[in-house]
Every structure is written in C-alpha cells, then in structure tokens.
Amino acid sequence: MKLTVIGCGYLGATHAACMAELGHEVLGMDSDMDKVATLNSGKAPFHERDLDDLIAKHTASGRLKFTASYAEAAAFADLHFIGVGTPQQSGEHAYDLTHLFSAVRQLAPRIKGPAVVTVKSTVPVGTAPRVRDLLREFAPAEAAIEVAWNPEFLRESFAIEDTLRPDRLVLGFDAEHSWAEAVLRQCFEKIIESGTPTIVTDWATAELAKASANAFLATKISFINAVAEVCEASGANVTTLADILGHDARIGRRGMRPGLGFGGGCLPKDIRGFMARAGELGVDQALTILREVDAINNRRRERMVDLARQQLDGNLAGKRITIWGAAFKPNTDDIRDSPALAVAQKLHELGATVTVTDPQALDNARKTHPELDYFDDPIGAVQDADLLLHLTEWPQYSHIDLHRLAARTATPCVIDGRGTLNTDTWRDAGWTVRALGRP
C-alpha cells in the first residue's frame, strides 16, 4: 500500500519506518524542514533504539521518504495517519489539540478523492467527531473521507518492537464507516496474521484506550512507591516486596517498579488529561484516585531531595552533587518531565553545585537546564563530589569500576533512586549506600 504519516516526532517517525518495514510505500510529512532533512538523510532527529538503522534501510530502499508539503502528502496516498503531538496545555491539565486540528485543516482541502484519515495521537475522548466535522468543513465535496482511530501503545526504547509486534491492535470507527476497516486491515495484514489480538470498536472506546492504559500503569507504579514510603519508615525492602506481590497472577510484577517514579511525555500528561476530560464530562469524582497517583509520583522526587539533604547534614549550600541520568528512562534522549532533572534543578535551587551525566540526553538537557553542569563521562562526572545520585537506570552504570569511581569523589556516598544497583557490591567497594524503599 501507499500511505502517509503526518507528524514525524517519536510516534510518527517510528510508525513511518515500521510501515515501510511491513512492505508499504510511506511518505512522512512534517512542517519542520530540519527534521525532514535529517530523516531523509537516514537518521532520526532523536534517540530511539534501532530506529536509525530502520530509517536508513528504507530511505535507501526507496520505500520511505519525507516531505514538508501537505500537498505532496495528500497526492501521495489515500490512507493518512496523523501522529502529531498533543501536549498538555500551558497552566492546565487538558490536552492541547492545536497541532492535531491544524494538521486536519491543512490536509483536508488537498484531498481530492476518497480517503481514510486515521488518528494515532493521544486525545481526550470526544475528539473524533470534531476531526470528522473539520474534514467535512475543509475538504472538497467530492472527497469521501472516513475517520478511523488507531491508538498507539509505544514504550520509548521499545517503540519498533511495540509497532511491529504489538500486544494488541485497536481500530476505532463510527457506525457509518463502510470501507475504512478494510483499508486498515489491509495495512496491518502482517501484524493481524501473526496472531496479534485485533479489537474493532467505536471511536470513544478507541480514544479512551491509551489514556486508560497509561493511567492504570501510573497507578501501579505509584502504588508500589506509596508502599516504598512505608518500607522506608519500617525498614522493609520494597524491591523484595514487589517481587512477592508480582508472583500473584492477578497483580503481576511487570510495570511495578519502585523508585523515583515515572516521567516522560505520556504518563504524566495522560493521567492529567484524563482527569481534565472527566471533569468536563461531569464525572471528575470517578478519577479522583489519579490525583493521588500524580501526588505520590511527585513526592518521590521530593523524597530524593530530602535524602540528599539528610546525607549532607541538612545543608546543600556549596555541596557538589553528581547525578547519573538526565533522560526520563534509559535508552532514550527524551527529557520531558524527567524525574532526574526535576531533582537536579531543585538541588541547584537549594545551593548545590550539580553535575549531570547521561549517555544520550545531555544535549537536550543543556537546552532546558543551562544552570546545571554537564559531563560526558560518568566517572569523570564524580570528581570531588560529596554525593552521587543514581536517577536514570542506564545499564552501563551497573558495570563501572567502583574503586576507581570512589577515588574520584570527596565522599564515596550514593543514593540509588532506581533500585537497580547491587548495594552489597557497592558497600564492599567502600561506598555508603542509601536507596529509596530499601534498607
């Protein structure tokens, strides 16, 4: 098939490359000329595991190319995926749908015949009819356009795997659709034939799928982090406790990761957007639990600052603190709502000199947090440090010579905010170790 992907950020660029991998001819469209040039050169403008290789493979094969022209995109195919960003509104919890509606308005008048417009962007429930109405308003009368909803469930650093071999495929349509389902089934034929559960539903259910999934995952994370607070007060070990709970098939260990909490461009935004939309629908009490989920998550960041202050005798002024990690999770350069950077900024505000290191995210961090110091090498970054904080669980941090590391510091003391360091190994190497939720 021939198809387009409108919006080539984390979601769109990955989707475009993966659709080419499935054998389709794909045109990615983005209004950012620099991004388009980077993608056409065979590279992603951000770090996602194996994505550079996949983009290079299919820009070379001719199956994948990118443009900044809506006219070219509209003329290229009759199946259009929209994957533009829907960030949180400034000063509010609701989604900002400006980019989505702008994309629809610019694409619609250029569509000359029957087409399927499929939205992948995360939105508040009730957005699909608004997209349909905009298409009817701006598209030519002869353009019989059907609207479909295909939510994404991508994990950054696993986005290719989650696109090509998803846990489930969700396709949402209105009752009047006649041929959009057949088009999308053809597009995803290889995925469906591989045995992927495929759920065909209405617009509203499809719209709610992503926000609901993220809200549940966030709740699971915040629950174990709330328990971690009790563990810290009682001397229990939250990591072992999570293992105990995880053996219950009704609960499961996956996703229940105690530590500093979640960040990124999806979970925090989606639970707040979910709450905001529930309020607009008059059912805000149904999701009051998510307020506490959000509050628990933010408290973990405050707790890390408190632990740092306690370890440094209550005074951070003039202290040198090194932070391992800037990205919100490993194997990405995404710093959106990064817990690590939130902690770093707060420590800086309290008078500490903060040095941050990260394998991929330093360039992005420098742009948004110029007040911090940065160092590429995690060993060099601890030079004369009074305290080391482990805040993003990059695997390479677990394989460093701890004696050599200790020799660089003023005081060999580490606080593990992610629960992935072997505390016994660190203590044997002469380090003082503290960890969230663990003795």
Side-chain angles (χ1 to χ4, degrees):
M1 299 181 68
K2 297 179 74 171
L3 60 91
T4 72
V5 179
I6 311 299
C8 293
Y10 283 94
L11 165 59
T14 302
H15 188 68
C18 288
M19 291 302 98
E21 179 72 3
L22 291 177
H24 302 307
E25 293 182 54
V26 184
L27 179 64
M29 185 272 153
D30 198 284
S31 57
D32 186 330
M33 296 288 291
D34 291 337
K35 184 184 295 183
V36 169
T38 299
L39 289 162
N40 276 324
S41 74
K43 297 181 180 179
F46 50 86
H47 178 74
E48 173 62 38
R49 185 161 45 190
D50 299 327
L51 185 56
D52 277 353
D53 291 340
L54 198 60
I55 292 174
K57 174 183 176 181
H58 290 299
T59 51
S61 74
R63 286 184 187 168
L64 178 62
K65 60 181 180 178
F66 298 89
T67 182
S69 168
Y70 275 97
E72 185 179 354
F76 181 80
D78 299 324
L79 173 57
H80 307 283
F81 287 94
I82 299 181
V84 298
T86 52
Q88 191 175 332
Q89 289 186 25
S90 179
E92 298 183 26
H93 283 171
Y95 292 100
D96 183 348
L97 301 180
T98 302
H99 299 305
L100 173 60
F101 293 151
S102 175
V104 172
R105 288 190 186 97
Q106 294 187 71
L107 178 66
R110 296 172 170 86
I111 297 176
K112 303 305 180 184
V116 176
V117 173
T118 304
V119 179
K120 296 188 69 67
S121 303
T122 305
V123 298
V125 62
T127 302
R130 299 173 67 185
V131 170
R132 175 202 59 200
D133 293 345
L134 282 173
L135 288 167
R136 288 177 176 175
E137 179 182 354
F138 288 94
E142 65 272 16
I145 301 175
E146 293 193 1
V147 176
W149 230 257
N150 173 222
E152 54 87 12
F153 303 96
L154 306 187
R155 299 165 296 164
E156 288 189 32
S157 76
F158 297 94
I160 293 173
E161 174 74 15
D162 290 343
T163 302
L164 296 176
R165 288 168 287 277
D167 292 329
R168 70 288 207 196
L169 180 66
V170 177
L171 305 175
F173 308 97
D174 70 337
E176 300 176 358
H177 81 280
S178 59
W179 53 282
E181 182 178 345
V183 170
L184 286 180
R185 283 186 177 276
Q186 182 182 353
C187 176
F188 294 119
E189 182 177 13
K190 290 183 179 179
I191 292 174
I192 295 171
E193 288 184 347
S194 72
T196 299
T198 301
I199 302 166
V200 177
T201 186
D202 55 87
W203 278 341
T205 305
E207 288 173 315
L208 281 168
K210 174 66 182 297
S212 299
N214 277 352
F216 189 85
L217 178 58
T219 300
K220 197 171 184 179
I221 296 169
S222 283
F223 170 80
I224 199 62
N225 281 334
V227 173
E229 296 181 20
V230 180
C231 289
E232 290 173 27
S234 62
N237 188 318
V238 72
T239 302
T240 304
L241 182 58
D243 288 338
I244 294 169
L245 297 177
H247 283 289
D248 188 326
R250 298 167 301 173
I251 298 172
R253 184 65 168 86
R254 229 181 133 188
M256 189 163 55
R257 299 178 58 241
L260 188 56
F262 55 82
C266 290
L267 260 65
K269 177 196 72 170
D270 287 349
I271 63 171
R272 295 163 191 163
F274 202 5
M275 286 189 288
R277 184 57 177 151
E280 293 169 355
L281 294 171
V283 290
D284 53 308
Q285 289 186 340
L287 296 180
T288 53
I289 186 175
L290 295 184
R291 293 195 184 97
E292 185 57 22
V293 167
D294 201 17
I296 291 168
N297 193 54
N298 288 327
R299 280 207 303 273
R300 300 313 284 163
R301 305 175 187 195
E302 296 167 5
R303 176 60 178 157
M304 177 56 68
V305 173
D306 288 342
L307 283 177
R309 185 189 287 111
Q310 291 174 19
Q311 196 61 42
L312 296 173
D313 300 322
N315 183 19
L316 295 174
K319 301 295 185 179
R320 301 184 65 86
I321 300 176
T322 298
I323 291 180
W324 276 359
F328 85 93
K329 62 178 285 186
N331 299 308
T332 181
D333 61 354
D334 193 349
I335 61 166
R336 289 176 294 178
D337 203 7
S338 164
L341 288 178
V343 171
Q345 182 179 22
K346 184 62 177 179
L347 293 172
H348 170 80
E349 291 171 355
L350 292 172
T353 298
V354 182
T355 300
V356 178
T357 187
D358 189 282
Q360 292 291 341
L362 288 191
D363 287 344
N364 289 338
R366 286 188 181 99
K367 294 173 186 175
T368 58
H369 293 79
E371 71 279 5
L372 305 175
D373 295 331
Y374 297 95
F375 205 92
D376 291 330
D377 173 34
I379 294 180
V382 303
Q383 186 67 46
D384 299 325
D386 299 297
L387 179 63
L388 170 63
L389 304 183
H390 174 242
L391 303 187
T392 306
E393 62 276 31
W394 286 91
Q396 46 266 60
Y397 295 157
S398 297
H399 304 287
I400 287 177
D401 184 332
L402 300 183
H403 291 92
R404 180 183 170 207
L405 190 70
R408 289 290 194 104
T409 68
T411 306
C413 178
V414 63
I415 302 177
D416 182 9
R418 290 300 181 182
T420 58
L421 300 181
N422 187 317
T423 54
D424 291 339
T425 300
W426 281 71
R427 286 173 177 142
D428 289 346
W431 286 78
T432 299
V433 182
R434 297 190 68 175
L436 288 175
R438 291 188 295 166

